[in-house]
């Protein structure tokens, strides 16, 4: 079996090394993302908006190649507008997710795109779909993605509970993303979230200085063993 | 990925009026994963000579110990403290010895050089990873954010800054440059060196 080459970005290509997530709750979904776009180690955009509208109540979170995910999202947005006109009603989230999945799977060799689709529709209510690199489609109560997600699987598994309301879900997303942004060099900046319900889409913004703070490593370990500053050179007993 | 980018980290040194400053971030990472926000890269070699060692973390430790050993041998034999201008030549020869299998470090030095009249003049210098010395009059930079440091320093630096102003200038230069680099940051430290004291301050910066 051949292995897929994950590092498929061409040299100079812009990367959404990222932390993204979406969580379903009673009345809707909360989608969230960091705001860092990198070209290698240079932060090309520190205030990116990775939460992309594809329909009135359907948003997607983009990770991987910025160009690939923008192109795919543009096409899905166009397709869903056409759907709305031809069917005379809003598309279900599952339909949007399936269009993404079709694209990502059929072009899996050429693309580098990890997408989370989430929204509200009247058939299923709130739903979250995760479409990782190979183009598989997975419906989940909560989904995380991007390079920063690897550091927060444990936190999410330990913290998530069924049956939350809006505020608890927003807290969960905010804390998870803050942790991922802290550890992952390719994630950072600000937290952007959207709360999507039947009635509205509410955009939330958490600036860098208001991020929830966790242990930042300035505690006991790593301190010098004695009170004296270990850096001071000891003077030699020499004649002046 | 380049070996110089593996652990991340950046250092800058600037010249002021009868003072120098040297500053660095505190990040140690494993590629994109941040591991420590407490990894000091600036070392006091003598009372008035400070060296910053950004690059591969294992070589930071090894090179520091190599330089400390050679400096101590000099001090014992010469029975005097090594001056910064001599020290940068020591760094250069230590690095060039490993020309075909180098230390992955680009050292940055800041110190107060004793003049024949007994006064002190500010001194900064840096070398590349194989020991080519750059004697700068204004500032020197190194590390994963070096290009960003050049840009901000070129904009903010001016000659004859007093110690307090030099502190502000070097701090802003470092903080804003590392905020555009994914592999530098996670805290910062600044040393301001004058002829009679060294003040070390820790900066509050972005932790992403």
């Amino acid at each position: 079996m051949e292995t897929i080459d994950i590092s498929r970005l061409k040299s100079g290509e812009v990367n959404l090394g990222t932390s993204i997530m979406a969580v379903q709750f009673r009345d809707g979904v909360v989608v969230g993302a960091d705001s860092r776009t990198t070209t290698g180690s240079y932060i090309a955009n520190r205030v990116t908006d990775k939460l992309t509208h594809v329909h009135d109540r359907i948003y997607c979170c983009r990770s991987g190649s910025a160009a690939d995910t923008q192109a795919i999202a543009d096409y899905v947005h166009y397709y869903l507008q056409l759907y709305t006109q031809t069917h005379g009603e809003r598309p279900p989230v599952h339909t949007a997710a399936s269009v993404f999945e079709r694209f990502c799977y059929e072009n899996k060799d050429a693309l580098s795109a990890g997408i989370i689709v989430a929204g509200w529709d009247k058939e299923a209510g709130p739903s979250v779909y995760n479409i990782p690199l190979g183009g598989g489609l997975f419906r989940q109560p909560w989904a995380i993605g991007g390079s920063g997600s690897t550091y927060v699987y444990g936190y999410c598994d330990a913290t998530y509970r069924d049956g939350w309301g809006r505020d608890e879900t927003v807290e969960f997303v905010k804390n998870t993303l803050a942790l991922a942004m802290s550890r992952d060099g390719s994630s950072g900046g600000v937290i952007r979230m959207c709360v999507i319900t039947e009635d509205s889409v509410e955009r939330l913004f958490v600036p860098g200085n208001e991020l929830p703070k966790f242990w930042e490593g300035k505690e006991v370990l790593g301190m010098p063993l004695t009170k004296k500053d270990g850096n001071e050179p000891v003077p030699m007993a020499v004649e002046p | 990925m380049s070996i110089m980018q593996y652990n991340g980290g950046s250092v800058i040194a600037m010249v002021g009026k009868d003072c120098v400053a040297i500053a660095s971030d505190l990040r140690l990472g494993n590629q994109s994963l941040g591991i420590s926000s407490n990894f000091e890269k600036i070392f006091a070699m003598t009372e008035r000579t400070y060296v910053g060692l950004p690059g591969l973390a294992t070589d930071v430790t090894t090179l520091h110990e190599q330089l400390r050993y050679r400096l101590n041998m000099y001090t014992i034999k010469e029975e005097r403290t090594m001056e910064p201008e001599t020290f940068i030549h020591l760094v250069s020869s230590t690095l060039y010895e490993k020309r075909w299998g180098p230390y992955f470090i680009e050292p940055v030095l800041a110190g107060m050089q004793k003049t024949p009249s007994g006064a002190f003049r500010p001194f900064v210098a840096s070398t590349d990873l194989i020991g080519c010395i750059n004697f700068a009059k204004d500032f020197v930079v190194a590390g994963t954010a070096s290009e960003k440091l050049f840009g901000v320093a070129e904009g903010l630096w001016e000659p004859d800054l007093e110690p307090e102003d030099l502190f502000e200038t070097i701090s802003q230069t470092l903080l804003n440059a590392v905020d555009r680099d994914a592999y530098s940051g996670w805290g910062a430290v600044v040393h301001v060196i004058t002829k009679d004291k060294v003040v070390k301050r820790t900066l509050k910066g972005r932790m992403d």
Side-chain angles (χ1 to χ4, degrees):
Chain A
M1 189 179 74
E2 282 164 25
T3 42
I4 307 170
D5 178 23
I6 301 271
S7 49
R8 241 175 298 167
L9 290 162
K10 304 181 200 59
S11 88
E13 201 185 341
V14 162
N15 181 22
L16 291 175
T18 281
S19 306
I20 49 172
M21 70 188 290
V23 186
Q24 180 184 318
F25 68 97
R26 264 198 320 260
D27 309 314
V29 296
V30 179
V31 294
D34 74 307
S35 68
R36 181 171 288 186
T37 309
T38 49
T39 320
S41 68
Y42 176 63
I43 300 170
N45 188 350
R46 61 192 178 111
V47 287
T48 324
D49 185 3
K50 303 181 188 180
L51 306 175
T52 304
H53 160 112
V54 290
H55 205 262
D56 287 353
R57 295 290 181 275
I58 310 175
Y59 272 63
C60 71
C61 312
R62 301 180 292 113
S63 73
S65 156
D68 288 351
T69 54
Q70 281 175 13
I72 300 168
D74 283 350
Y75 174 75
V76 175
H77 178 252
Y78 154 77
Y79 182 92
L80 295 179
Q81 284 187 316
L82 203 53
Y83 181 104
T84 312
Q85 294 304 112
T86 53
H87 289 76
E89 59 179 22
R90 287 192 175 146
V93 184
H94 178 85
T95 304
S98 296
V99 182
F100 271 110
E101 180 251 321
R102 171 61 63 95
F103 235 88
C104 294
Y105 177 75
E106 298 294 342
N107 298 291
K108 62 160 75 190
D109 293 336
L111 293 172
S112 176
I115 297 176
I116 299 177
V117 187
W120 186 94
D121 63 61
K122 64 180 187 308
E123 293 89 7
S127 45
V128 170
Y129 292 85
N130 197 353
I131 304 162
L133 243 44
L137 180 64
F138 304 95
R139 183 172 175 198
Q140 298 171 305
W142 56 272
I144 54 178
S147 55
S149 67
T150 54
Y151 308 117
V152 291
Y153 274 101
Y155 176 77
C156 290
D157 285 338
T159 313
Y160 177 75
R161 295 276 174 278
D162 234 347
W164 274 340
R166 176 202 179 277
D167 294 338
E168 292 144 308
T169 312
V170 169
E171 269 307 287
F172 175 56
V173 171
K174 202 195 308 182
N175 286 334
T176 308
L177 290 176
L179 285 165
M181 285 156 70
S182 177
R183 279 285 176 177
D184 182 27
S186 309
S187 302
V190 304
I191 296 182
R192 294 192 195 276
M193 293 184 276
C194 285
V195 184
I196 308 166
T197 55
E198 176 179 5
D199 306 312
S200 64
V201 173
E202 185 193 350
R203 265 200 178 262
L204 300 171
F205 175 81
V206 183
N209 58 336
E210 283 170 34
L211 290 173
K213 283 189 170 42
F214 298 91
W215 181 74
E216 269 163 13
K218 279 270 176 203
E219 292 175 10
V220 180
L221 295 174
M223 292 287 113
L225 291 168
T226 56
K227 281 232 175 75
K228 212 167 130 181
D229 179 9
N231 261 347
E232 232 108 63
V234 179
M236 303 293 298
V238 292
E239 298 285 287
Chain B
M1 164 185 294
S2 157
I3 197 93
M4 296 293 284
Q5 285 197 333
Y6 188 77
N7 295 125
S10 308
V11 181
I12 177 173
M14 276 188 175
V15 165
K17 189 167 180 60
D18 299 322
C19 61
V20 284
I22 182 165
S24 79
D25 70 324
L26 290 171
R27 183 179 182 271
L28 171 81
N30 185 332
Q31 297 192 97
S32 66
L33 169 64
I35 306 276
S36 170
S37 54
N38 203 201
F39 189 69
E40 303 244 9
K41 305 168 188 70
I42 296 177
F43 304 97
M45 301 311 294
T46 74
E47 267 189 348
R48 295 193 179 83
T49 310
Y50 278 68
V51 75
L53 302 173
L56 193 65
T58 178
D59 286 348
V60 170
T61 314
T62 305
L63 188 61
H64 169 229
E65 305 207 309
Q66 268 289 75
L67 293 171
R68 191 168 67 95
Y69 163 62
R70 293 190 176 195
L71 177 67
N72 284 346
M73 292 310 295
Y74 178 98
T75 313
I76 290 168
K77 290 181 189 174
E78 299 254 332
E79 298 180 30
R80 65 189 180 96
T81 317
M82 193 188 272
E83 290 298 317
E85 194 161 343
T86 316
F87 187 76
I88 196 69
H89 285 91
L90 178 66
V91 172
S92 171
S93 49
T94 308
L95 293 173
Y96 197 78
E97 263 185 353
K98 303 280 184 207
R99 172 63 178 85
W100 305 109
Y103 289 114
F104 295 106
I105 305 279
E106 288 180 330
V108 163
L109 183 131
M112 296 300 278
Q113 173 84 6
K114 203 161 188 178
T115 58
S117 61
F120 289 96
R121 73 172 165 83
F123 179 84
V124 294
S126 68
T127 76
D128 66 3
L129 79 171
I130 47 175
C132 171
I133 312 176
N134 168 30
F135 296 101
K137 294 192 177 59
D138 41 14
F139 51 83
V140 286
V141 301
T144 52
S146 61
E147 286 144 330
K148 295 82 158 177
L149 284 163
F150 268 129
V152 194
E154 199 67 57
L156 295 182
W157 186 86
E158 56 188 66
D160 294 323
L161 288 165
E162 295 291 332
E164 294 72 33
D165 300 324
L166 185 64
F167 167 71
E168 294 297 328
T169 304
I170 200 175
S171 300
Q172 286 301 317
T173 305
L174 181 69
L175 249 27
N176 289 293
V178 305
D179 283 350
R180 276 286 181 179
D181 182 27
Y183 297 131
S184 296
W186 259 27
V189 123
V190 183
H191 297 76
V192 181
I193 305 149
T194 42
K195 73 175 193 325
D196 44 19
K197 65 179 194 293
V198 176
V199 183
K200 178 181 175 183
R201 296 180 181 92
T202 308
L203 302 180
K204 176 166 177 265
R206 296 184 68 102
M207 300 299 275
D208 63 1

